[in-house]
Every structure is written in structure tokens, then in C-alpha cells.
Amino acid sequence: MEYDVYSVRKDFPMLNQQIYGRPLVYLDNGATAQKPLSVIECINNFHTSKNSTIHRGIHFFSEQATEEFENARKTVQQFIHAEKSSEVIFTSGTTGSINGLAWSFGERFISPGDEIIISEMEHHSNIVPWQMLCERKGAVLKIIPFNDDGTLEINKLDTLITVKTRLISVMHISNTLGTINPIRAIIARAHANDIPVVIDGAQSVQHTGIDVQKLDCDFFVFSGHKIYGPTGIGILYAKEKWLHELPPFQGGGEMVNVVSFQKTTYNEPPVKFEAGTPNYIGAIGLAEALKYLTKTGLSGIAKHENALLEYGSQKLSELDFITLYGQAPDKSSILSFNLKDVHHYDAGMIIDKMGIAVRTGTHCAQPVMQHYGISGTIRASLGMYNTQEEIDTLISAVKKVRDMFA
Ligand code: PMP
């Protein structure tokens, strides 16, 4: 079936609005995506007639909620093709997943002098937790650089890896440059040296889908709110063997087996890693979003978004007053740019007044800005419901900004 973006748009009530008297053009999907009605209704229904906390009660609603929560885990498992649903841990989001993992992995496996490799294009959420770990343990953070076109200098990896390398953590798709990183090659090289790999999939699952078994990554993390699901929920996928080796990163609630003042023993994964009352409604809402994506068809979505990206890149590169950042041959859904002699913030304010939501600034990737010696960019990040006409609206807004500053 042909992908019909206009019928998809009808599923997203947020899009059907005017701001400043103009139809909303929402191009900030890299920050957060809008939710289809099925997700909104699912959450609303749960609050209205099903709410009860999971795991703790034997009453009707608690059992029903527990079943829906565990079914949500299975939906995530199927979506990312994990071998077992117990390899799927619910967290608060990508940042929560990486922080938890960095603490836990650090406690078990990192000693003074050990090395962790990340890349120069990472989001702060995949930099700072590792930096904090390195400071705590006296370990060393090493960086894979990137080329000006936004591609990783992957040939440097072999010299960065040493006998002291304990972990590599890289983003699948850059939230600033749109680069699709060669994570299969990175994982293969890491595994040849017995090094586990974390993949930050915050910007990839919603565009490309994922098969964690084929990819063979050790850990994969993403956020619900960027994949058309609710905020405050995310996933830490880990291969089963790690979940037995790693200590829990939070204590309390149902993550225990026996608690006494002398000693506490832990529950089996995934519960071992889900201390406190989990965001069960978030998890159920996330599963609903994944069902929506699956029903709509991931390949149709990807094809549509790729066509939009190509169109937008072409239109922007025709403008001689625009600098585009991130021109990797393998790229996804992000258009990062600046207008010559116009501050990104000023441009963003004017673009906003034309009804277009774009992001301006560093996009939580200050090292990327440092690479180019700039203070920020304007970023249009595309989603499944964006249209070619919306790109045209953006292009005319950008031209108007240029005219105003001429
Ligand atoms: N990694 C990447 C690549 C991101 O784009 C983001 C969000 N912009 C994050 C991590 C952090 O995600 P969250 O704020 O949902 O934890």
C-alpha cells in the first residue's frame, strides 16, 4: 500500500492547529515527536478506567495493569527484535538508560586507567555520564573524531582501541548532523577485541527500525517521546548475559528478592533494574506508539522521510547564503544549517513567527559546534507526518529571513 502522508497527518491532532494565524509546520521531531490519537486515547483510557499500580496487588485492576505492562515489554521486544522480553528494561528515557548503565557498568567493570570510547558527535547524554564515570573511577575517555562532512573517522578506531578499552558507546544517527553511523562495522571491530558496544538509538528507531540481534550490539537505548510515544519512558535493551553480570543501578521497590538488614538479594532481570513504581502507563503508551508505527509500515515511513530529506537538502543547497552541516552520504531526517551573517537564534525567532517550529542552538551537542567553530545551528528535523509543502514553507521562511537581514 502506498504511504499516504495526508491520511497519517489526520491521526495527529496536535498538527491540526494554527499559530500566529498560520498552519503549524512542526519540524522539531528530533527534540520530541507528536503523538497519534491512538496513543493519547490509550493513556487517557488507562487513567480513566484501568489505573492501578503493577506487580503489587492481587486485585483485578492490578493484575490487569501488570498484564498490560508485561505485554508492552513484549511489544518492545518484537519491535527491536530482541531475543527475550526480559532483555527489555523500562527506564525514564535515553538519558536515564545511559546514566543507569554507566553507573552499573562502571561499578562492575571499570578500574583506574581503563578506557571508554565515544565519538565527537555524541549528544551530551552519551558524553557526560561516561565522563562522570571516568572521573569517579580514574578512567580515560577517548574520542572518535568526525570529518567536516559529518562522517565518522572510522579508520581511527583501530588506533583508539587498546588492551585497556572496556566499552564503546556511539550514537546510531546524529541528532545534529543526521549522519547514519556505520555501527555494524564498529560493533564488529569492537567484538573482535572483546569490547561491548552501547548504541544510542534516540534518533534511529523511529526512522530505520532496528534489529538488535542482527546488529549484535550489547546495549541499545532509546526514548519513548521521540518515537511518537509518551515522555518519561525509555528503553535499555541489554543482552541477557549482561543483565546477570551488572549490578542494579537503583534500589527499592520490587527489584529485590529478600530484604533484611544483613543482606538484600535481587530479583531476576528485568525487574532487578526497575526499582520503584515503574512508569507503567508510559510503557503501555509506548507500546501503543510502536503498534501504530508497525501498522503504518516502517519501510513506507522511511521511504517518505528519505524523499523529504533529499528534497529539503536539494532546496537548501540551492541557496547560496546557506551553510549546511552534515552531508554524509548515509544520512537521515535532519537538516542543520545557518544563514550567512545571521545568528541562528534571530533566524529561529523569525521562522517561528511564520508558524514553523524548528530548533536553534547546540542541540545538546556542544562538541559538534566546537568542531565547526560555531555557536549553534537551525535544525529542521523531519518526521513521518511532514510534507513537501512544509519544506517549501520552510524555504520561503528562510528566504524571508535573508531579505530582512540583507
Ligand atoms: N541521544 C540523542 C542522539 C538524542 O537526540 C537525545 C535527545 N535529543 C538524547 C540522547 C537524549 O534523549 P532524552 O532527552 O529523551 O533522554
Side-chain angles (χ1 to χ4, degrees):
M1 208 171 63
E2 269 299 290
Y3 186 75
D4 180 358
V5 66
Y6 301 101
S7 118
V8 165
R9 287 180 70 82
K10 289 191 193 131
D11 295 333
F12 292 82
M14 170 84 190
L15 300 177
N16 187 23
Q17 293 189 71
Q18 301 238 329
I19 45 166
Y20 310 118
R22 295 163 191 261
L24 168 67
V25 174
Y26 187 79
L27 297 175
D28 196 16
N29 298 287
T32 201
Q34 302 306 337
K35 326 298 169 201
L37 197 56
S38 60
V39 170
I40 298 166
E41 281 176 349
C42 164
I43 295 167
N44 193 11
N45 286 344
F46 207 93
H47 281 296
T48 309
S49 58
K50 296 181 179 175
N51 186 41
S52 175
T53 188
I54 55 163
H55 290 322
R56 293 189 190 159
I58 53 150
H59 63 78
F60 176 84
F61 284 115
S62 182
E63 292 215 328
Q64 180 177 269
T66 306
E67 195 181 331
E68 288 202 28
F69 179 67
E70 291 306 327
N71 283 341
R73 200 188 303 279
K74 286 188 196 132
T75 303
V76 177
Q77 174 207 352
Q78 284 156 12
F79 192 82
I80 64 172
H81 299 275
E83 193 188 342
K84 296 179 176 175
S85 68
S86 55
E87 294 173 320
V88 172
I89 307 216
F90 286 111
T91 66
S92 60
T94 304
T95 307
S97 297
I98 299 177
N99 274 276
L101 180 59
W103 190 88
S104 180
F105 193 90
E107 281 310 287
R108 176 78 174 77
F109 293 110
I110 301 293
S111 307
D114 284 348
E115 296 168 356
I116 294 165
I117 299 177
I118 60 171
S119 90
E120 189 189 4
M121 67 172 77
E122 297 309 315
H123 186 280
H124 299 163
S125 293
N126 198 28
I127 300 175
V128 185
W130 304 115
Q131 240 166 4
M132 289 161 70
L133 165 60
C134 287
E135 275 171 25
R136 201 169 80 240
K137 292 281 178 177
V140 180
L141 196 62
K142 293 172 91 177
I143 312 296
I144 313 168
F146 67 84
N147 300 301
D148 288 347
D149 68 355
T151 50
L152 270 188
E153 285 193 57
I154 192 75
N155 55 331
K156 296 262 166 78
L157 187 58
D158 287 334
T159 49
L160 287 169
I161 291 176
T162 72
V163 288
K164 293 188 163 179
T165 310
R166 295 287 166 264
L167 186 79
I168 299 178
S169 185
V170 286
M171 64 195 341
H172 188 180
I173 293 182
S174 162
N175 64 313
T176 338
L177 304 169
T179 312
I180 304 178
N181 285 318
I183 49 171
R184 268 170 186 266
I186 294 173
I187 292 165
R189 278 188 218 184
H191 284 179
N193 293 279
D194 273 337
I195 302 164
V197 181
V198 183
I199 300 296
D200 173 354
Q203 297 291 344
S204 70
V205 266
Q206 62 276 49
H207 300 298
T208 61
I210 204 73
D211 185 328
V212 289
Q213 287 186 80
K214 260 200 203 144
L215 199 56
D216 199 28
C217 55
D218 298 271
F219 306 96
F220 188 92
V221 299
F222 65 98
S223 299
H225 69 108
K226 293 182 199 283
I227 188 162
Y228 311 101
T231 316
I233 188 78
I235 299 299
L236 166 60
Y237 156 82
K239 275 186 189 166
E240 188 179 37
K241 65 167 185 168
W242 292 111
L243 295 176
H244 291 294
E245 290 199 41
L246 292 172
F249 38 78
Q250 287 189 318
E254 294 290 315
M255 49 74 74
V256 297
N257 202 353
V258 178
V259 178
S260 76
F261 291 119
Q262 286 69 42
K263 186 168 172 58
T264 291
T265 54
Y266 303 129
N267 211 325
E268 288 299 307
V271 185
K272 172 182 165 188
F273 295 95
E274 292 175 351
T277 304
N279 181 359
Y280 51 93
I281 303 187
I284 292 161
L286 169 57
E288 197 62 34
L290 301 184
K291 283 181 203 161
Y292 176 82
L293 283 177
T294 305
K295 192 182 83 190
T296 310
L298 276 173
S299 62
I301 295 170
K303 211 167 141 201
H304 171 71
E305 289 176 343
N306 288 339
L308 277 186
L309 176 72
E310 204 170 303
Y311 182 74
S313 307
Q314 177 63 34
K315 287 281 163 193
L316 279 171
S317 56
E318 283 167 9
L319 306 177
D320 60 3
F321 55 92
I322 290 286
T323 310
L324 252 176
Y325 302 93
Q327 313 241 34
D330 216 3
K331 202 183 152 175
S332 161
S333 298
I334 304 271
L335 293 162
S336 242
F337 59 94
N338 271 325
L339 285 84
K340 236 165 241 149
D341 302 325
V342 182
H343 195 275
H344 52 86
Y345 185 69
D346 294 332
M349 295 238 293
I350 299 167
I351 293 171
D352 167 58
K353 293 293 178 292
M354 297 181 201
I356 306 168
V358 287
R359 186 142 296 242
T360 61
T362 65
H363 320 299
C364 291
Q366 288 183 22
V368 173
M369 305 304 138
Q370 288 154 14
H371 178 105
Y372 292 109
I374 54 177
S375 62
T377 72
I378 303 158
R379 181 187 75 179
S381 47
L382 311 169
M384 64 188 292
Y385 35 61
N386 289 126
T387 64
Q388 195 164 308
E389 295 83 68
E390 288 183 311
I391 303 275
D392 290 335
T393 310
L394 173 69
I395 298 294
S396 22
V398 166
K399 286 182 180 162
K400 217 166 237 173
V401 175
R402 190 267 323 258
D403 292 345
M404 287 172 78
F405 279 82

Coordinates of all heavy atoms in Angstrom, one line a residue, residues 320-391:
D320 N 22.5 30.2 -2.0 CA 24.0 30.5 -1.8 C 24.3 31.1 -0.5 O 25.4 31.3 -0.1 CB 24.5 31.3 -3.0 CG 23.8 32.7 -3.1 OD1 22.9 32.9 -2.2 OD2 24.1 33.4 -4.0
F321 N 23.3 31.5 0.3 CA 23.5 32.1 1.6 C 23.4 31.1 2.8 O 23.3 31.5 3.9 CB 22.6 33.3 1.8 CG 21.1 33.0 1.7 CD1 20.3 32.6 2.8 CD2 20.5 33.0 0.4 CE1 19.0 32.3 2.6 CE2 19.2 32.7 0.3 CZ 18.4 32.3 1.4
I322 N 23.3 29.9 2.4 CA 23.1 28.8 3.4 C 24.3 27.9 3.6 O 24.9 27.5 2.6 CB 21.9 27.9 3.0 CG1 20.5 28.7 3.1 CG2 21.8 26.6 3.8 CD1 20.0 28.9 4.5
T323 N 24.7 27.7 4.8 CA 25.7 26.6 5.1 C 25.0 25.4 5.7 O 24.3 25.6 6.7 CB 26.8 27.1 6.1 OG1 27.2 28.4 5.6 CG2 27.9 26.1 6.1
L324 N 25.1 24.3 5.0 CA 24.5 23.1 5.6 C 25.5 22.3 6.3 O 26.7 22.1 5.9 CB 24.0 22.2 4.4 CG 22.6 22.1 4.1 CD1 22.4 21.3 2.8 CD2 21.8 21.4 5.2
Y325 N 25.2 21.8 7.5 CA 26.1 21.0 8.3 C 25.6 19.5 8.3 O 24.5 19.3 8.6 CB 26.2 21.5 9.7 CG 26.6 22.9 9.8 CD1 25.7 23.9 9.9 CD2 28.0 23.3 9.8 CE1 26.0 25.3 9.9 CE2 28.4 24.6 9.9 CZ 27.4 25.6 9.9 OH 27.8 26.9 10.0
G326 N 26.6 18.6 7.9 CA 26.2 17.2 7.9 C 25.8 16.9 6.4 O 24.6 17.1 6.0
Q327 N 26.8 16.4 5.7 CA 26.5 16.0 4.3 C 27.0 14.6 4.1 O 27.5 14.2 3.0 CB 27.2 16.9 3.3 CG 27.0 18.4 3.7 CD 26.4 19.2 2.6 OE1 25.5 18.7 1.9 NE2 26.7 20.4 2.5
A328 N 26.8 13.7 5.1 CA 27.3 12.3 4.9 C 26.4 11.6 3.9 O 25.2 11.9 3.8 CB 27.1 11.6 6.3
P329 N 27.0 10.8 3.1 CA 26.2 10.0 2.1 C 25.1 9.2 2.7 O 24.0 9.1 2.1 CB 27.3 9.1 1.4 CG 28.6 9.5 1.9 CD 28.4 10.4 3.1
D330 N 25.3 8.7 3.9 CA 24.3 7.9 4.6 C 23.7 8.8 5.7 O 24.3 9.0 6.7 CB 25.0 6.7 5.2 CG 24.1 5.5 5.2 OD1 23.0 5.6 4.6 OD2 24.5 4.4 5.7
K331 N 22.5 9.4 5.4 CA 22.0 10.4 6.3 C 20.5 10.2 6.5 O 19.8 9.6 5.7 CB 22.3 11.8 5.6 CG 22.3 12.9 6.5 CD 22.5 14.3 5.8 CE 21.8 15.3 6.7 NZ 21.9 16.6 6.3
S332 N 20.0 10.8 7.6 CA 18.6 10.6 7.9 C 18.0 11.9 8.5 O 18.6 12.6 9.3 CB 18.5 9.5 9.0 OG 17.2 9.6 9.7
S333 N 16.9 12.3 8.0 CA 15.9 13.2 8.5 C 16.3 14.5 9.3 O 15.5 15.0 10.0 CB 15.0 12.4 9.5 OG 14.4 11.4 8.8
I334 N 17.5 14.9 9.2 CA 18.0 16.1 9.9 C 18.5 17.1 8.9 O 19.4 16.8 8.1 CB 19.0 15.8 11.0 CG1 18.6 14.8 12.0 CG2 19.5 17.1 11.7 CD1 17.9 15.3 13.2
L335 N 18.1 18.4 9.0 CA 18.6 19.5 8.2 C 19.1 20.5 9.1 O 18.4 21.3 9.7 CB 17.6 20.0 7.2 CG 17.1 19.1 6.1 CD1 15.7 19.6 5.5 CD2 18.1 18.9 5.0
S336 N 20.5 20.6 9.3 CA 21.1 21.6 10.2 C 21.8 22.6 9.3 O 22.6 22.2 8.4 CB 22.2 20.8 11.0 OG 21.9 20.9 12.4
F337 N 21.5 23.9 9.6 CA 22.1 24.9 8.7 C 22.1 26.3 9.4 O 21.6 26.5 10.4 CB 21.2 25.0 7.4 CG 19.8 25.4 7.6 CD1 19.3 26.7 7.6 CD2 18.8 24.4 7.9 CE1 18.0 27.1 7.8 CE2 17.5 24.7 8.1 CZ 17.1 26.1 8.1
N338 N 22.8 27.2 8.7 CA 22.9 28.6 9.2 C 22.8 29.5 7.9 O 23.1 29.1 6.8 CB 24.2 28.9 9.9 CG 24.1 28.6 11.4 OD1 23.1 28.8 12.0 ND2 25.2 28.1 12.0
L339 N 22.3 30.7 8.2 CA 22.3 31.7 7.1 C 23.5 32.6 7.3 O 23.8 32.9 8.5 CB 21.1 32.6 7.2 CG 19.7 32.0 6.8 CD1 19.1 31.2 7.8 CD2 18.8 33.2 6.4
K340 N 24.2 32.9 6.2 CA 25.4 33.7 6.3 C 25.1 35.0 7.1 O 24.1 35.7 6.7 CB 25.9 34.0 4.9 CG 27.3 33.6 4.7 CD 27.8 33.5 3.3 CE 28.2 32.1 2.9 NZ 27.9 31.7 1.6
D341 N 25.9 35.4 8.0 CA 25.8 36.6 8.8 C 24.5 36.8 9.5 O 24.1 38.0 9.9 CB 26.0 37.8 7.8 CG 27.3 37.8 7.1 OD1 28.3 37.3 7.7 OD2 27.4 38.2 5.9
V342 N 23.8 35.7 9.8 CA 22.6 35.9 10.6 C 22.7 34.9 11.8 O 23.1 33.7 11.6 CB 21.3 35.5 9.8 CG1 20.0 35.7 10.7 CG2 21.2 36.3 8.6
H343 N 22.5 35.4 13.0 CA 22.6 34.5 14.2 C 21.4 33.5 14.1 O 20.3 33.8 13.8 CB 22.6 35.3 15.5 CG 23.0 34.5 16.7 ND1 22.1 33.7 17.4 CD2 24.2 34.4 17.3 CE1 22.8 33.1 18.4 NE2 24.1 33.5 18.3
H344 N 21.7 32.2 14.4 CA 20.7 31.2 14.3 C 19.5 31.5 15.2 O 18.4 31.2 14.9 CB 21.3 29.8 14.7 CG 22.0 29.8 16.1 ND1 21.4 29.6 17.3 CD2 23.3 30.0 16.3 CE1 22.3 29.7 18.2 NE2 23.5 30.0 17.7
Y345 N 19.8 32.2 16.3 CA 18.7 32.5 17.3 C 17.7 33.5 16.6 O 16.5 33.4 16.7 CB 19.3 33.0 18.6 CG 18.3 33.3 19.6 CD1 17.6 32.2 20.2 CD2 18.0 34.5 20.1 CE1 16.7 32.4 21.2 CE2 17.0 34.8 21.1 CZ 16.4 33.7 21.6 OH 15.5 33.9 22.6
D346 N 18.3 34.6 16.0 CA 17.5 35.6 15.3 C 16.6 34.9 14.2 O 15.4 35.2 14.0 CB 18.3 36.7 14.7 CG 19.1 37.5 15.8 OD1 18.5 37.6 16.9 OD2 20.2 38.0 15.5
A347 N 17.3 34.1 13.4 CA 16.6 33.4 12.3 C 15.5 32.5 12.9 O 14.4 32.6 12.4 CB 17.6 32.5 11.6
G348 N 15.8 31.8 14.0 CA 14.8 30.9 14.6 C 13.5 31.7 15.0 O 12.4 31.2 14.9
M349 N 13.8 32.9 15.6 CA 12.6 33.7 16.1 C 11.7 34.1 14.9 O 10.5 34.1 15.1 CB 13.2 34.9 16.8 CG 14.0 34.6 18.0 SD 13.3 35.4 19.5 CE 13.6 37.1 19.1
I350 N 12.3 34.5 13.8 CA 11.5 34.9 12.7 C 10.8 33.7 12.0 O 9.6 33.8 11.7 CB 12.4 35.6 11.6 CG1 13.1 36.9 12.3 CG2 11.6 36.0 10.4 CD1 14.2 37.5 11.5
I351 N 11.5 32.6 11.9 CA 10.9 31.4 11.4 C 9.7 31.0 12.2 O 8.7 30.6 11.7 CB 12.0 30.3 11.2 CG1 13.1 30.7 10.2 CG2 11.4 29.0 10.9 CD1 14.3 29.8 10.1
D352 N 9.9 31.1 13.5 CA 8.8 30.8 14.4 C 7.5 31.6 14.1 O 6.4 31.1 14.1 CB 9.2 31.0 15.9 CG 8.1 30.9 16.9 OD1 7.4 29.9 16.9 OD2 7.9 31.9 17.6
K353 N 7.7 32.9 13.9 CA 6.6 33.8 13.7 C 5.9 33.4 12.4 O 4.8 33.9 12.1 CB 7.1 35.3 13.6 CG 7.6 35.8 14.9 CD 6.5 35.9 16.0 CE 6.9 36.3 17.3 NZ 7.8 35.4 18.1
M354 N 6.5 32.6 11.5 CA 5.8 32.2 10.3 C 5.2 30.8 10.5 O 4.8 30.1 9.6 CB 6.8 32.1 9.2 CG 7.4 33.5 8.9 SD 8.6 33.5 7.6 CE 9.4 35.0 7.9
G355 N 5.1 30.4 11.8 CA 4.3 29.2 12.1 C 5.1 27.9 12.0 O 4.6 26.8 12.1
I356 N 6.4 28.1 11.9 CA 7.3 26.9 11.8 C 8.1 26.6 13.0 O 8.8 27.5 13.5 CB 8.3 27.1 10.6 CG1 7.5 27.5 9.3 CG2 9.1 25.9 10.4 CD1 8.4 28.0 8.2
A357 N 8.0 25.4 13.6 CA 8.7 25.0 14.7 C 10.0 24.4 14.3 O 10.0 23.2 13.8 CB 7.9 24.1 15.6
V358 N 11.1 25.1 14.5 CA 12.5 24.5 14.3 C 13.2 24.7 15.6 O 12.8 25.4 16.4 CB 13.3 25.1 13.1 CG1 12.7 24.8 11.8 CG2 13.4 26.7 13.3
R359 N 14.3 24.0 15.7 CA 15.2 24.2 16.9 C 16.4 25.0 16.6 O 16.9 24.9 15.5 CB 15.6 22.9 17.5 CG 16.3 22.9 18.8 CD 15.9 21.8 19.7 NE 14.5 21.9 20.0 CZ 14.0 22.1 21.2 NH1 14.9 22.1 22.3 NH2 12.7 22.1 21.5
T360 N 16.8 25.9 17.5 CA 18.1 26.6 17.2 C 19.0 26.4 18.4 O 18.5 26.2 19.5 CB 17.9 28.1 17.0 OG1 17.3 28.6 18.2 CG2 17.0 28.4 15.9
G361 N 20.3 26.4 18.2 CA 21.2 26.3 19.3 C 22.2 25.1 19.1 O 22.5 24.8 18.0
T362 N 22.6 24.5 20.2 CA 23.7 23.5 20.1 C 23.1 22.1 20.0 O 23.8 21.1 19.8 CB 24.6 23.5 21.3 OG1 23.8 23.2 22.5 CG2 25.2 24.9 21.5
H363 N 21.8 21.9 20.2 CA 21.1 20.6 20.2 C 21.8 19.6 21.1 O 21.9 18.4 20.8 CB 21.1 20.1 18.7 CG 20.8 21.2 17.7 ND1 19.7 21.9 17.7 CD2 21.6 21.7 16.7 CE1 19.7 22.8 16.8 NE2 20.8 22.7 16.1
C364 N 22.2 20.1 22.3 CA 22.9 19.3 23.3 C 24.1 18.5 22.6 O 24.3 17.3 22.9 CB 21.9 18.3 23.9 SG 20.7 19.1 24.9
A365 N 24.8 19.1 21.7 CA 25.9 18.5 21.1 C 27.0 19.6 21.0 O 27.4 19.9 19.9 CB 25.6 17.9 19.8
Q366 N 27.4 20.2 22.1 CA 28.4 21.3 22.0 C 29.7 20.9 21.3 O 30.2 21.8 20.5 CB 28.6 21.9 23.4 CG 27.4 22.6 23.9 CD 27.7 23.3 25.3 OE1 28.8 23.5 25.7 NE2 26.6 23.5 26.0
P367 N 30.2 19.7 21.5 CA 31.4 19.4 20.7 C 31.3 19.5 19.2 O 32.2 19.8 18.5 CB 31.8 18.0 21.2 CG 31.2 17.9 22.6 CD 29.9 18.7 22.5
V368 N 30.1 19.2 18.7 CA 29.9 19.3 17.3 C 30.0 20.8 16.8 O 30.6 21.1 15.8 CB 28.5 18.8 16.9 CG1 28.2 19.1 15.4 CG2 28.4 17.3 17.2
M369 N 29.4 21.7 17.7 CA 29.5 23.1 17.4 C 31.0 23.6 17.5 O 31.5 24.3 16.6 CB 28.7 23.9 18.4 CG 27.2 23.5 18.4 SD 26.5 23.6 16.8 CE 25.5 22.1 16.8
Q370 N 31.7 23.0 18.5 CA 33.2 23.4 18.6 C 33.9 22.9 17.4 O 34.8 23.6 16.9 CB 33.7 22.7 19.9 CG 33.2 23.4 21.2 CD 33.2 22.5 22.4 OE1 33.8 21.4 22.4 NE2 32.5 22.9 23.4
H371 N 33.5 21.8 16.8 CA 34.2 21.2 15.6 C 34.2 22.2 14.5 O 35.1 22.5 13.8 CB 33.5 19.9 15.2 CG 34.1 19.3 13.9 ND1 34.9 18.2 13.9 CD2 34.0 19.7 12.6 CE1 35.3 17.9 12.7 NE2 34.8 18.8 11.9
Y372 N 33.0 22.9 14.3 CA 32.8 23.8 13.2 C 33.1 25.3 13.6 O 33.0 26.1 12.8 CB 31.4 23.7 12.7 CG 31.0 22.4 12.0 CD1 30.2 21.5 12.6 CD2 31.6 22.1 10.7 CE1 29.9 20.3 12.0 CE2 31.3 20.9 10.1 CZ 30.4 20.0 10.7 OH 30.2 18.8 10.1
G373 N 33.4 25.5 14.9 CA 33.7 26.8 15.4 C 32.4 27.7 15.3 O 32.5 28.9 14.9
I374 N 31.3 27.2 15.6 CA 30.0 28.0 15.6 C 29.3 27.9 16.9 O 29.6 27.0 17.7 CB 29.1 27.5 14.4 CG1 28.8 26.0 14.6 CG2 29.7 27.8 13.1 CD1 27.8 25.4 13.6
S375 N 28.3 28.8 17.1 CA 27.7 28.7 18.4 C 26.4 27.9 18.3 O 25.7 27.7 19.4 CB 27.3 30.2 18.9 OG 26.5 30.8 17.9
G376 N 25.9 27.6 17.1 CA 24.7 26.8 17.0 C 24.3 26.7 15.6 O 24.9 27.3 14.7
T377 N 23.2 26.0 15.4 CA 22.6 25.9 14.0 C 21.1 26.0 14.1 O 20.5 25.9 15.2 CB 22.9 24.5 13.3 OG1 22.2 23.5 13.9 CG2 24.4 24.2 13.3
I378 N 20.5 26.1 13.0 CA 19.0 26.0 12.9 C 18.8 24.5 12.5 O 19.5 24.1 11.6 CB 18.4 26.9 11.8 CG1 18.8 28.4 12.1 CG2 16.9 26.7 11.7 CD1 18.8 29.3 10.9
R379 N 17.9 23.8 13.2 CA 17.7 22.4 12.8 C 16.3 22.1 12.5 O 15.4 22.3 13.4 CB 18.2 21.5 14.0 CG 18.0 20.0 13.7 CD 18.3 19.2 14.9 NE 17.3 19.2 15.9 CZ 17.3 18.5 17.0 NH1 18.3 17.8 17.3 NH2 16.2 18.6 17.8
A380 N 16.0 21.7 11.3 CA 14.7 21.1 11.0 C 14.8 19.6 11.0 O 15.7 19.0 10.3 CB 14.3 21.6 9.6
S381 N 14.1 19.0 11.9 CA 14.1 17.5 12.0 C 12.8 16.9 11.5 O 11.8 17.3 12.1 CB 14.5 17.1 13.4 OG 13.8 17.7 14.3
L382 N 12.8 16.0 10.6 CA 11.6 15.6 9.9 C 11.0 14.4 10.5 O 11.8 13.5 11.1 CB 12.0 15.3 8.4 CG 12.8 16.4 7.7 CD1 13.3 15.9 6.4 CD2 11.9 17.6 7.6
G383 N 9.7 14.3 10.4 CA 9.0 13.1 11.0 C 8.1 12.5 9.9 O 8.0 13.0 8.8
M384 N 7.4 11.4 10.4 CA 6.6 10.7 9.4 C 5.4 11.5 8.8 O 4.9 11.1 7.8 CB 6.0 9.4 10.1 CG 5.1 9.7 11.3 SD 4.6 8.2 12.2 CE 3.7 7.3 11.0
Y385 N 5.0 12.6 9.5 CA 3.9 13.3 9.0 C 4.2 14.6 8.3 O 3.4 15.4 7.9 CB 3.0 13.7 10.2 CG 3.7 14.0 11.5 CD1 4.6 15.1 11.6 CD2 3.5 13.2 12.6 CE1 5.3 15.3 12.8 CE2 4.2 13.5 13.8 CZ 5.0 14.5 13.9 OH 5.7 14.8 15.0
N386 N 5.5 14.9 8.1 CA 5.9 16.1 7.4 C 5.7 15.9 5.9 O 5.7 14.8 5.3 CB 7.3 16.5 7.7 CG 7.5 17.0 9.1 OD1 8.3 16.5 9.9 ND2 6.6 18.0 9.5
T387 N 5.5 17.1 5.2 CA 5.2 17.1 3.8 C 6.2 17.9 3.0 O 6.9 18.8 3.6 CB 3.8 17.6 3.5 OG1 3.8 19.0 3.9 CG2 2.7 16.9 4.3
Q388 N 6.2 17.7 1.7 CA 7.0 18.5 0.8 C 6.6 20.0 0.9 O 7.4 20.9 0.9 CB 6.8 18.0 -0.6 CG 7.9 18.5 -1.5 CD 8.0 17.7 -2.8 OE1 8.1 16.5 -2.8 NE2 7.9 18.4 -3.9
E389 N 5.3 20.2 1.0 CA 4.8 21.6 1.1 C 5.4 22.3 2.4 O 5.6 23.5 2.3 CB 3.2 21.7 1.2 CG 2.5 21.2 0.0 CD 2.4 19.7 0.0 OE1 1.6 19.2 0.8 OE2 3.0 19.0 -0.9
E390 N 5.5 21.5 3.4 CA 6.1 22.1 4.7 C 7.6 22.5 4.4 O 8.0 23.5 5.0 CB 5.9 21.1 5.8 CG 4.5 21.0 6.3 CD 4.4 20.1 7.5 OE1 4.9 19.0 7.5 OE2 3.7 20.5 8.5
I391 N 8.3 21.7 3.7 CA 9.7 22.1 3.3 C 9.6 23.4 2.5 O 10.5 24.3 2.7 CB 10.3 20.9 2.5 CG1 10.3 19.6 3.3 CG2 11.8 21.3 2.1 CD1 11.4 19.4 4.3

